[in-house]
mmCIF file with all atom_site columns, all heavy atoms in Angstrom:
data_model
loop_
_atom_site.group_PDB
_atom_site.id
_atom_site.type_symbol
_atom_site.label_atom_id
_atom_site.label_alt_id
_atom_site.label_comp_id
_atom_site.label_asym_id
_atom_site.label_entity_id
_atom_site.label_seq_id
_atom_site.pdbx_PDB_ins_code
_atom_site.Cartn_x
_atom_site.Cartn_y
_atom_site.Cartn_z
_atom_site.occupancy
_atom_site.B_iso_or_equiv
_atom_site.pdbx_formal_charge
_atom_site.auth_seq_id
_atom_site.auth_comp_id
_atom_site.auth_asym_id
_atom_site.auth_atom_id
_atom_site.pdbx_PDB_model_num
ATOM 1   N N   . PRO A 1 1  ? 0.819  -1.217  0.000   1.00 94.00 ? 6  PRO A N   1
ATOM 2   C CA  . PRO A 1 1  ? 0.000  0.000   0.000   1.00 94.00 ? 6  PRO A CA  1
ATOM 3   C C   . PRO A 1 1  ? 0.850  1.262   0.000   1.00 94.00 ? 6  PRO A C   1
ATOM 4   O O   . PRO A 1 1  ? 1.801  1.394   0.773   1.00 94.00 ? 6  PRO A O   1
ATOM 5   C CB  . PRO A 1 1  ? -0.800 -0.137  1.296   1.00 94.00 ? 6  PRO A CB  1
ATOM 6   C CG  . PRO A 1 1  ? -0.884 -1.592  1.525   1.00 94.00 ? 6  PRO A CG  1
ATOM 7   C CD  . PRO A 1 1  ? 0.425  -2.145  1.064   1.00 94.00 ? 6  PRO A CD  1
ATOM 8   N N   . GLY A 1 2  ? 0.511  2.176   -0.884  1.00 94.00 ? 7  GLY A N   1
ATOM 9   C CA  . GLY A 1 2  ? 1.194  3.454   -0.934  1.00 94.00 ? 7  GLY A CA  1
ATOM 10  C C   . GLY A 1 2  ? 2.490  3.454   -1.708  1.00 94.00 ? 7  GLY A C   1
ATOM 11  O O   . GLY A 1 2  ? 3.149  4.501   -1.815  1.00 94.00 ? 7  GLY A O   1
ATOM 12  N N   . LYS A 1 3  ? 2.863  2.302   -2.237  1.00 96.00 ? 8  LYS A N   1
ATOM 13  C CA  . LYS A 1 3  ? 4.119  2.209   -2.990  1.00 96.00 ? 8  LYS A CA  1
ATOM 14  C C   . LYS A 1 3  ? 3.845  1.739   -4.418  1.00 96.00 ? 8  LYS A C   1
ATOM 15  O O   . LYS A 1 3  ? 2.835  1.108   -4.699  1.00 96.00 ? 8  LYS A O   1
ATOM 16  C CB  . LYS A 1 3  ? 5.089  1.257   -2.306  1.00 96.00 ? 8  LYS A CB  1
ATOM 17  C CG  . LYS A 1 3  ? 5.594  1.747   -0.963  1.00 96.00 ? 8  LYS A CG  1
ATOM 18  C CD  . LYS A 1 3  ? 6.689  0.843   -0.426  1.00 96.00 ? 8  LYS A CD  1
ATOM 19  C CE  . LYS A 1 3  ? 7.232  1.352   0.885   1.00 96.00 ? 8  LYS A CE  1
ATOM 20  N NZ  . LYS A 1 3  ? 8.321  0.486   1.414   1.00 96.00 ? 8  LYS A NZ  1
ATOM 21  N N   . GLU A 1 4  ? 4.783  2.050   -5.282  1.00 96.00 ? 9  GLU A N   1
ATOM 22  C CA  . GLU A 1 4  ? 4.660  1.601   -6.658  1.00 96.00 ? 9  GLU A CA  1
ATOM 23  C C   . GLU A 1 4  ? 4.978  0.110   -6.764  1.00 96.00 ? 9  GLU A C   1
ATOM 24  O O   . GLU A 1 4  ? 5.697  -0.452  -5.943  1.00 96.00 ? 9  GLU A O   1
ATOM 25  C CB  . GLU A 1 4  ? 5.618  2.403   -7.553  1.00 96.00 ? 9  GLU A CB  1
ATOM 26  C CG  . GLU A 1 4  ? 5.241  3.866   -7.706  1.00 96.00 ? 9  GLU A CG  1
ATOM 27  C CD  . GLU A 1 4  ? 6.085  4.579   -8.742  1.00 96.00 ? 9  GLU A CD  1
ATOM 28  O OE1 . GLU A 1 4  ? 6.999  3.939   -9.298  1.00 96.00 ? 9  GLU A OE1 1
ATOM 29  O OE2 . GLU A 1 4  ? 5.821  5.762   -8.997  1.00 96.00 ? 9  GLU A OE2 1
ATOM 30  N N   . ARG A 1 5  ? 4.413  -0.473  -7.801  1.00 96.00 ? 10 ARG A N   1
ATOM 31  C CA  . ARG A 1 5  ? 4.706  -1.873  -8.064  1.00 96.00 ? 10 ARG A CA  1
ATOM 32  C C   . ARG A 1 5  ? 6.188  -2.015  -8.425  1.00 96.00 ? 10 ARG A C   1
ATOM 33  O O   . ARG A 1 5  ? 6.720  -1.219  -9.199  1.00 96.00 ? 10 ARG A O   1
ATOM 34  C CB  . ARG A 1 5  ? 3.828  -2.373  -9.214  1.00 96.00 ? 10 ARG A CB  1
ATOM 35  C CG  . ARG A 1 5  ? 3.863  -3.858  -9.452  1.00 96.00 ? 10 ARG A CG  1
ATOM 36  C CD  . ARG A 1 5  ? 2.841  -4.255  -10.501 1.00 96.00 ? 10 ARG A CD  1
ATOM 37  N NE  . ARG A 1 5  ? 1.475  -3.969  -10.083 1.00 96.00 ? 10 ARG A NE  1
ATOM 38  C CZ  . ARG A 1 5  ? 0.396  -4.343  -10.765 1.00 96.00 ? 10 ARG A CZ  1
ATOM 39  N NH1 . ARG A 1 5  ? 0.531  -5.016  -11.894 1.00 96.00 ? 10 ARG A NH1 1
ATOM 40  N NH2 . ARG A 1 5  ? -0.801 -4.035  -10.316 1.00 96.00 ? 10 ARG A NH2 1
ATOM 41  N N   . GLU A 1 6  ? 6.847  -3.009  -7.854  1.00 97.00 ? 11 GLU A N   1
ATOM 42  C CA  . GLU A 1 6  ? 8.268  -3.191  -8.120  1.00 97.00 ? 11 GLU A CA  1
ATOM 43  C C   . GLU A 1 6  ? 8.550  -4.573  -8.691  1.00 97.00 ? 11 GLU A C   1
ATOM 44  O O   . GLU A 1 6  ? 7.876  -5.557  -8.346  1.00 97.00 ? 11 GLU A O   1
ATOM 45  C CB  . GLU A 1 6  ? 9.102  -2.984  -6.845  1.00 97.00 ? 11 GLU A CB  1
ATOM 46  C CG  . GLU A 1 6  ? 8.860  -3.990  -5.746  1.00 97.00 ? 11 GLU A CG  1
ATOM 47  C CD  . GLU A 1 6  ? 9.744  -3.739  -4.526  1.00 97.00 ? 11 GLU A CD  1
ATOM 48  O OE1 . GLU A 1 6  ? 10.272 -2.623  -4.377  1.00 97.00 ? 11 GLU A OE1 1
ATOM 49  O OE2 . GLU A 1 6  ? 9.907  -4.684  -3.724  1.00 97.00 ? 11 GLU A OE2 1
ATOM 50  N N   . PHE A 1 7  ? 9.554  -4.609  -9.518  1.00 97.00 ? 12 PHE A N   1
ATOM 51  C CA  . PHE A 1 7  ? 9.964  -5.860  -10.142 1.00 97.00 ? 12 PHE A CA  1
ATOM 52  C C   . PHE A 1 7  ? 10.589 -6.797  -9.114  1.00 97.00 ? 12 PHE A C   1
ATOM 53  O O   . PHE A 1 7  ? 11.333 -6.361  -8.230  1.00 97.00 ? 12 PHE A O   1
ATOM 54  C CB  . PHE A 1 7  ? 10.984 -5.557  -11.243 1.00 97.00 ? 12 PHE A CB  1
ATOM 55  C CG  . PHE A 1 7  ? 11.628 -6.764  -11.837 1.00 97.00 ? 12 PHE A CG  1
ATOM 56  C CD1 . PHE A 1 7  ? 10.985 -7.509  -12.812 1.00 97.00 ? 12 PHE A CD1 1
ATOM 57  C CD2 . PHE A 1 7  ? 12.885 -7.167  -11.412 1.00 97.00 ? 12 PHE A CD2 1
ATOM 58  C CE1 . PHE A 1 7  ? 11.593 -8.626  -13.360 1.00 97.00 ? 12 PHE A CE1 1
ATOM 59  C CE2 . PHE A 1 7  ? 13.498 -8.285  -11.953 1.00 97.00 ? 12 PHE A CE2 1
ATOM 60  C CZ  . PHE A 1 7  ? 12.841 -9.016  -12.929 1.00 97.00 ? 12 PHE A CZ  1
ATOM 61  N N   . VAL A 1 8  ? 10.298 -8.083  -9.238  1.00 98.00 ? 13 VAL A N   1
ATOM 62  C CA  . VAL A 1 8  ? 10.879 -9.082  -8.334  1.00 98.00 ? 13 VAL A CA  1
ATOM 63  C C   . VAL A 1 8  ? 11.770 -10.053 -9.112  1.00 98.00 ? 13 VAL A C   1
ATOM 64  O O   . VAL A 1 8  ? 12.937 -10.228 -8.804  1.00 98.00 ? 13 VAL A O   1
ATOM 65  C CB  . VAL A 1 8  ? 9.785  -9.869  -7.598  1.00 98.00 ? 13 VAL A CB  1
ATOM 66  C CG1 . VAL A 1 8  ? 10.404 -10.960 -6.725  1.00 98.00 ? 13 VAL A CG1 1
ATOM 67  C CG2 . VAL A 1 8  ? 8.926  -8.940  -6.756  1.00 98.00 ? 13 VAL A CG2 1
ATOM 68  N N   . ALA A 1 9  ? 11.203 -10.683 -10.111 1.00 98.00 ? 14 ALA A N   1
ATOM 69  C CA  . ALA A 1 9  ? 11.940 -11.701 -10.880 1.00 98.00 ? 14 ALA A CA  1
ATOM 70  C C   . ALA A 1 9  ? 11.206 -11.948 -12.184 1.00 98.00 ? 14 ALA A C   1
ATOM 71  O O   . ALA A 1 9  ? 10.014 -11.658 -12.295 1.00 98.00 ? 14 ALA A O   1
ATOM 72  C CB  . ALA A 1 9  ? 12.057 -13.002 -10.090 1.00 98.00 ? 14 ALA A CB  1
ATOM 73  N N   . ALA A 1 10 ? 11.930 -12.481 -13.148 1.00 97.00 ? 15 ALA A N   1
ATOM 74  C CA  . ALA A 1 10 ? 11.303 -12.790 -14.429 1.00 97.00 ? 15 ALA A CA  1
ATOM 75  C C   . ALA A 1 10 ? 12.034 -13.918 -15.117 1.00 97.00 ? 15 ALA A C   1
ATOM 76  O O   . ALA A 1 10 ? 13.225 -14.143 -14.876 1.00 97.00 ? 15 ALA A O   1
ATOM 77  C CB  . ALA A 1 10 ? 11.270 -11.560 -15.325 1.00 97.00 ? 15 ALA A CB  1
ATOM 78  N N   . VAL A 1 11 ? 11.318 -14.597 -15.975 1.00 97.00 ? 16 VAL A N   1
ATOM 79  C CA  . VAL A 1 11 ? 11.896 -15.648 -16.808 1.00 97.00 ? 16 VAL A CA  1
ATOM 80  C C   . VAL A 1 11 ? 11.547 -15.323 -18.255 1.00 97.00 ? 16 VAL A C   1
ATOM 81  O O   . VAL A 1 11 ? 10.401 -14.987 -18.575 1.00 97.00 ? 16 VAL A O   1
ATOM 82  C CB  . VAL A 1 11 ? 11.381 -17.047 -16.388 1.00 97.00 ? 16 VAL A CB  1
ATOM 83  C CG1 . VAL A 1 11 ? 9.870  -17.146 -16.445 1.00 97.00 ? 16 VAL A CG1 1
ATOM 84  C CG2 . VAL A 1 11 ? 12.037 -18.132 -17.220 1.00 97.00 ? 16 VAL A CG2 1
ATOM 85  N N   . ALA A 1 12 ? 12.555 -15.391 -19.100 1.00 95.00 ? 17 ALA A N   1
ATOM 86  C CA  . ALA A 1 12 ? 12.362 -15.068 -20.507 1.00 95.00 ? 17 ALA A CA  1
ATOM 87  C C   . ALA A 1 12 ? 11.625 -16.182 -21.242 1.00 95.00 ? 17 ALA A C   1
ATOM 88  O O   . ALA A 1 12 ? 11.483 -17.298 -20.739 1.00 95.00 ? 17 ALA A O   1
ATOM 89  C CB  . ALA A 1 12 ? 13.722 -14.813 -21.153 1.00 95.00 ? 17 ALA A CB  1
ATOM 90  N N   . ALA A 1 13 ? 11.192 -15.861 -22.448 1.00 93.00 ? 18 ALA A N   1
ATOM 91  C CA  . ALA A 1 13 ? 10.639 -16.883 -23.326 1.00 93.00 ? 18 ALA A CA  1
ATOM 92  C C   . ALA A 1 13 ? 11.735 -17.889 -23.660 1.00 93.00 ? 18 ALA A C   1
ATOM 93  O O   . ALA A 1 13 ? 12.931 -17.588 -23.527 1.00 93.00 ? 18 ALA A O   1
ATOM 94  C CB  . ALA A 1 13 ? 10.104 -16.238 -24.598 1.00 93.00 ? 18 ALA A CB  1
ATOM 95  N N   . ILE A 1 14 ? 11.331 -19.042 -24.081 1.00 82.00 ? 19 ILE A N   1
ATOM 96  C CA  . ILE A 1 14 ? 12.308 -20.085 -24.378 1.00 82.00 ? 19 ILE A CA  1
ATOM 97  C C   . ILE A 1 14 ? 13.155 -19.669 -25.581 1.00 82.00 ? 19 ILE A C   1
ATOM 98  O O   . ILE A 1 14 ? 12.622 -19.327 -26.635 1.00 82.00 ? 19 ILE A O   1
ATOM 99  C CB  . ILE A 1 14 ? 11.609 -21.420 -24.665 1.00 82.00 ? 19 ILE A CB  1
ATOM 100 C CG1 . ILE A 1 14 ? 10.905 -21.917 -23.399 1.00 82.00 ? 19 ILE A CG1 1
ATOM 101 C CG2 . ILE A 1 14 ? 12.607 -22.448 -25.169 1.00 82.00 ? 19 ILE A CG2 1
ATOM 102 C CD1 . ILE A 1 14 ? 11.816 -22.314 -22.288 1.00 82.00 ? 19 ILE A CD1 1
ATOM 103 N N   . GLY A 1 15 ? 14.466 -19.690 -25.408 1.00 74.00 ? 20 GLY A N   1
ATOM 104 C CA  . GLY A 1 15 ? 15.389 -19.381 -26.490 1.00 74.00 ? 20 GLY A CA  1
ATOM 105 C C   . GLY A 1 15 ? 16.274 -20.569 -26.794 1.00 74.00 ? 20 GLY A C   1
ATOM 106 O O   . GLY A 1 15 ? 16.045 -21.664 -26.310 1.00 74.00 ? 20 GLY A O   1
ATOM 107 N N   . ARG A 1 16 ? 17.330 -20.321 -27.560 1.00 65.00 ? 21 ARG A N   1
ATOM 108 C CA  . ARG A 1 16 ? 18.217 -21.411 -27.963 1.00 65.00 ? 21 ARG A CA  1
ATOM 109 C C   . ARG A 1 16 ? 18.899 -22.062 -26.777 1.00 65.00 ? 21 ARG A C   1
ATOM 110 O O   . ARG A 1 16 ? 19.174 -23.247 -26.763 1.00 65.00 ? 21 ARG A O   1
ATOM 111 C CB  . ARG A 1 16 ? 19.266 -20.892 -28.937 1.00 65.00 ? 21 ARG A CB  1
ATOM 112 C CG  . ARG A 1 16 ? 18.705 -20.456 -30.273 1.00 65.00 ? 21 ARG A CG  1
ATOM 113 C CD  . ARG A 1 16 ? 19.794 -19.940 -31.187 1.00 65.00 ? 21 ARG A CD  1
ATOM 114 N NE  . ARG A 1 16 ? 19.276 -19.519 -32.483 1.00 65.00 ? 21 ARG A NE  1
ATOM 115 C CZ  . ARG A 1 16 ? 20.017 -19.005 -33.441 1.00 65.00 ? 21 ARG A CZ  1
ATOM 116 N NH1 . ARG A 1 16 ? 21.319 -18.846 -33.258 1.00 65.00 ? 21 ARG A NH1 1
ATOM 117 N NH2 . ARG A 1 16 ? 19.472 -18.635 -34.586 1.00 65.00 ? 21 ARG A NH2 1
ATOM 118 N N   . SER A 1 17 ? 19.172 -21.270 -25.755 1.00 66.00 ? 22 SER A N   1
ATOM 119 C CA  . SER A 1 17 ? 19.875 -21.808 -24.581 1.00 66.00 ? 22 SER A CA  1
ATOM 120 C C   . SER A 1 17 ? 18.955 -21.891 -23.378 1.00 66.00 ? 22 SER A C   1
ATOM 121 O O   . SER A 1 17 ? 19.389 -21.762 -22.245 1.00 66.00 ? 22 SER A O   1
ATOM 122 C CB  . SER A 1 17 ? 21.095 -20.944 -24.268 1.00 66.00 ? 22 SER A CB  1
ATOM 123 O OG  . SER A 1 17 ? 20.707 -19.614 -24.079 1.00 66.00 ? 22 SER A OG  1
ATOM 124 N N   . GLY A 1 18 ? 17.674 -22.093 -23.630 1.00 72.00 ? 23 GLY A N   1
ATOM 125 C CA  . GLY A 1 18 ? 16.741 -22.189 -22.519 1.00 72.00 ? 23 GLY A CA  1
ATOM 126 C C   . GLY A 1 18 ? 16.116 -20.843 -22.208 1.00 72.00 ? 23 GLY A C   1
ATOM 127 O O   . GLY A 1 18 ? 16.101 -19.943 -23.042 1.00 72.00 ? 23 GLY A O   1
ATOM 128 N N   . ALA A 1 19 ? 15.601 -20.688 -21.029 1.00 84.00 ? 24 ALA A N   1
ATOM 129 C CA  . ALA A 1 19 ? 14.932 -19.458 -20.625 1.00 84.00 ? 24 ALA A CA  1
ATOM 130 C C   . ALA A 1 19 ? 15.746 -18.768 -19.547 1.00 84.00 ? 24 ALA A C   1
ATOM 131 O O   . ALA A 1 19 ? 15.900 -19.306 -18.456 1.00 84.00 ? 24 ALA A O   1
ATOM 132 C CB  . ALA A 1 19 ? 13.536 -19.759 -20.128 1.00 84.00 ? 24 ALA A CB  1
ATOM 133 N N   . SER A 1 20 ? 16.256 -17.593 -19.861 1.00 92.00 ? 25 SER A N   1
ATOM 134 C CA  . SER A 1 20 ? 17.067 -16.885 -18.884 1.00 92.00 ? 25 SER A CA  1
ATOM 135 C C   . SER A 1 20 ? 16.185 -16.286 -17.797 1.00 92.00 ? 25 SER A C   1
ATOM 136 O O   . SER A 1 20 ? 14.979 -16.087 -17.984 1.00 92.00 ? 25 SER A O   1
ATOM 137 C CB  . SER A 1 20 ? 17.883 -15.794 -19.565 1.00 92.00 ? 25 SER A CB  1
ATOM 138 O OG  . SER A 1 20 ? 17.037 -14.776 -20.069 1.00 92.00 ? 25 SER A OG  1
ATOM 139 N N   . THR A 1 21 ? 16.800 -15.983 -16.678 1.00 95.00 ? 26 THR A N   1
ATOM 140 C CA  . THR A 1 21 ? 16.080 -15.404 -15.546 1.00 95.00 ? 26 THR A CA  1
ATOM 141 C C   . THR A 1 21 ? 16.780 -14.137 -15.086 1.00 95.00 ? 26 THR A C   1
ATOM 142 O O   . THR A 1 21 ? 17.952 -13.894 -15.401 1.00 95.00 ? 26 THR A O   1
ATOM 143 C CB  . THR A 1 21 ? 15.998 -16.392 -14.375 1.00 95.00 ? 26 THR A CB  1
ATOM 144 O OG1 . THR A 1 21 ? 17.339 -16.778 -14.002 1.00 95.00 ? 26 THR A OG1 1
ATOM 145 C CG2 . THR A 1 21 ? 15.220 -17.633 -14.756 1.00 95.00 ? 26 THR A CG2 1
ATOM 146 N N   . TYR A 1 22 ? 16.048 -13.350 -14.319 1.00 96.00 ? 27 TYR A N   1
ATOM 147 C CA  . TYR A 1 22 ? 16.605 -12.101 -13.790 1.00 96.00 ? 27 TYR A CA  1
ATOM 148 C C   . TYR A 1 22 ? 15.893 -11.790 -12.487 1.00 96.00 ? 27 TYR A C   1
ATOM 149 O O   . TYR A 1 22 ? 14.691 -12.035 -12.357 1.00 96.00 ? 27 TYR A O   1
ATOM 150 C CB  . TYR A 1 22 ? 16.393 -10.977 -14.804 1.00 96.00 ? 27 TYR A CB  1
ATOM 151 C CG  . TYR A 1 22 ? 17.263 -9.773  -14.557 1.00 96.00 ? 27 TYR A CG  1
ATOM 152 C CD1 . TYR A 1 22 ? 18.570 -9.752  -14.997 1.00 96.00 ? 27 TYR A CD1 1
ATOM 153 C CD2 . TYR A 1 22 ? 16.780 -8.659  -13.877 1.00 96.00 ? 27 TYR A CD2 1
ATOM 154 C CE1 . TYR A 1 22 ? 19.393 -8.659  -14.774 1.00 96.00 ? 27 TYR A CE1 1
ATOM 155 C CE2 . TYR A 1 22 ? 17.581 -7.570  -13.649 1.00 96.00 ? 27 TYR A CE2 1
ATOM 156 C CZ  . TYR A 1 22 ? 18.889 -7.569  -14.101 1.00 96.00 ? 27 TYR A CZ  1
ATOM 157 O OH  . TYR A 1 22 ? 19.694 -6.484  -13.878 1.00 96.00 ? 27 TYR A OH  1
ATOM 158 N N   . TYR A 1 23 ? 16.649 -11.260 -11.515 1.00 97.00 ? 28 TYR A N   1
ATOM 159 C CA  . TYR A 1 23 ? 16.113 -11.002 -10.175 1.00 97.00 ? 28 TYR A CA  1
ATOM 160 C C   . TYR A 1 23 ? 16.499 -9.613  -9.688  1.00 97.00 ? 28 TYR A C   1
ATOM 161 O O   . TYR A 1 23 ? 17.559 -9.090  -10.036 1.00 97.00 ? 28 TYR A O   1
ATOM 162 C CB  . TYR A 1 23 ? 16.678 -12.024 -9.180  1.00 97.00 ? 28 TYR A CB  1
ATOM 163 C CG  . TYR A 1 23 ? 16.387 -13.464 -9.527  1.00 97.00 ? 28 TYR A CG  1
ATOM 164 C CD1 . TYR A 1 23 ? 17.254 -14.204 -10.338 1.00 97.00 ? 28 TYR A CD1 1
ATOM 165 C CD2 . TYR A 1 23 ? 15.244 -14.095 -9.037  1.00 97.00 ? 28 TYR A CD2 1
ATOM 166 C CE1 . TYR A 1 23 ? 16.978 -15.526 -10.660 1.00 97.00 ? 28 TYR A CE1 1
ATOM 167 C CE2 . TYR A 1 23 ? 14.971 -15.422 -9.343  1.00 97.00 ? 28 TYR A CE2 1
ATOM 168 C CZ  . TYR A 1 23 ? 15.836 -16.122 -10.160 1.00 97.00 ? 28 TYR A CZ  1
ATOM 169 O OH  . TYR A 1 23 ? 15.563 -17.434 -10.466 1.00 97.00 ? 28 TYR A OH  1
ATOM 170 N N   . ARG A 1 24 ? 15.645 -9.077  -8.839  1.00 97.00 ? 29 ARG A N   1
ATOM 171 C CA  . ARG A 1 24 ? 16.075 -7.878  -8.123  1.00 97.00 ? 29 ARG A CA  1
ATOM 172 C C   . ARG A 1 24 ? 17.088 -8.316  -7.084  1.00 97.00 ? 29 ARG A C   1
ATOM 173 O O   . ARG A 1 24 ? 17.069 -9.455  -6.602  1.00 97.00 ? 29 ARG A O   1
ATOM 174 C CB  . ARG A 1 24 ? 14.893 -7.150  -7.483  1.00 97.00 ? 29 ARG A CB  1
ATOM 175 C CG  . ARG A 1 24 ? 14.279 -7.821  -6.292  1.00 97.00 ? 29 ARG A CG  1
ATOM 176 C CD  . ARG A 1 24 ? 13.116 -6.995  -5.728  1.00 97.00 ? 29 ARG A CD  1
ATOM 177 N NE  . ARG A 1 24 ? 13.555 -5.714  -5.191  1.00 97.00 ? 29 ARG A NE  1
ATOM 178 C CZ  . ARG A 1 24 ? 13.289 -4.536  -5.763  1.00 97.00 ? 29 ARG A CZ  1
ATOM 179 N NH1 . ARG A 1 24 ? 12.582 -4.500  -6.890  1.00 97.00 ? 29 ARG A NH1 1
ATOM 180 N NH2 . ARG A 1 24 ? 13.702 -3.417  -5.221  1.00 97.00 ? 29 ARG A NH2 1
ATOM 181 N N   . ASP A 1 25 ? 17.975 -7.387  -6.725  1.00 97.00 ? 30 ASP A N   1
ATOM 182 C CA  . ASP A 1 25 ? 19.091 -7.743  -5.859  1.00 97.00 ? 30 ASP A CA  1
ATOM 183 C C   . ASP A 1 25 ? 18.635 -8.319  -4.523  1.00 97.00 ? 30 ASP A C   1
ATOM 184 O O   . ASP A 1 25 ? 19.250 -9.254  -3.999  1.00 97.00 ? 30 ASP A O   1
ATOM 185 C CB  . ASP A 1 25 ? 19.973 -6.517  -5.612  1.00 97.00 ? 30 ASP A CB  1
ATOM 186 C CG  . ASP A 1 25 ? 20.795 -6.149  -6.835  1.00 97.00 ? 30 ASP A CG  1
ATOM 187 O OD1 . ASP A 1 25 ? 20.916 -6.986  -7.761  1.00 97.00 ? 30 ASP A OD1 1
ATOM 188 O OD2 . ASP A 1 25 ? 21.315 -5.018  -6.867  1.00 97.00 ? 30 ASP A OD2 1
ATOM 189 N N   . SER A 1 26 ? 17.582 -7.778  -3.952  1.00 97.00 ? 31 SER A N   1
ATOM 190 C CA  . SER A 1 26 ? 17.185 -8.173  -2.597  1.00 97.00 ? 31 SER A CA  1
ATOM 191 C C   . SER A 1 26 ? 16.635 -9.597  -2.513  1.00 97.00 ? 31 SER A C   1
ATOM 192 O O   . SER A 1 26 ? 16.478 -10.131 -1.419  1.00 97.00 ? 31 SER A O   1
ATOM 193 C CB  . SER A 1 26 ? 16.149 -7.195  -2.035  1.00 97.00 ? 31 SER A CB  1
ATOM 194 O OG  . SER A 1 26 ? 14.975 -7.219  -2.811  1.00 97.00 ? 31 SER A OG  1
ATOM 195 N N   . VAL A 1 27 ? 16.343 -10.225 -3.656  1.00 98.00 ? 32 VAL A N   1
ATOM 196 C CA  . VAL A 1 27 ? 15.808 -11.593 -3.607  1.00 98.00 ? 32 VAL A CA  1
ATOM 197 C C   . VAL A 1 27 ? 16.777 -12.609 -4.204  1.00 98.00 ? 32 VAL A C   1
ATOM 198 O O   . VAL A 1 27 ? 16.506 -13.811 -4.165  1.00 98.00 ? 32 VAL A O   1
ATOM 199 C CB  . VAL A 1 27 ? 14.439 -11.696 -4.308  1.00 98.00 ? 32 VAL A CB  1
ATOM 200 C CG1 . VAL A 1 27 ? 13.475 -10.671 -3.748  1.00 98.00 ? 32 VAL A CG1 1
ATOM 201 C CG2 . VAL A 1 27 ? 14.566 -11.589 -5.814  1.00 98.00 ? 32 VAL A CG2 1
ATOM 202 N N   . LYS A 1 28 ? 17.892 -12.125 -4.734  1.00 98.00 ? 33 LYS A N   1
ATOM 203 C CA  . LYS A 1 28 ? 18.880 -13.051 -5.313  1.00 98.00 ? 33 LYS A CA  1
ATOM 204 C C   . LYS A 1 28 ? 19.369 -14.021 -4.249  1.00 98.00 ? 33 LYS A C   1
ATOM 205 O O   . LYS A 1 28 ? 19.682 -13.633 -3.131  1.00 98.00 ? 33 LYS A O   1
ATOM 206 C CB  . LYS A 1 28 ? 20.059 -12.278 -5.890  1.00 98.00 ? 33 LYS A CB  1
ATOM 207 C CG  . LYS A 1 28 ? 19.755 -11.581 -7.199  1.00 98.00 ? 33 LYS A CG  1
ATOM 208 C CD  . LYS A 1 28 ? 20.976 -10.831 -7.703  1.00 98.00 ? 33 LYS A CD  1
ATOM 209 C CE  . LYS A 1 28 ? 20.677 -10.098 -8.995  1.00 98.00 ? 33 LYS A CE  1
ATOM 210 N NZ  . LYS A 1 28 ? 21.835 -9.315  -9.473  1.00 98.00 ? 33 LYS A NZ  1
#
């Protein structure tokens, strides 16, 4: 409440080497 939505983690679409991921620092 009262804060903007923030990114947590994501997984890319499937590519040649699988699906890459990315995280915000605080959840790595």
Side-chain angles (χ1 to χ4, degrees):
K8 293 187 178 181
E9 292 188 357
R10 189 173 297 187
E11 65 179 19
F12 172 81
V13 177
V16 57
I19 294 293
R21 293 179 180 178
S22 56
S25 67
T26 57
Y27 197 82
Y28 302 89
R29 72 179 295 110
D30 287 344
S31 63
V32 306
K33 285 180 181 178

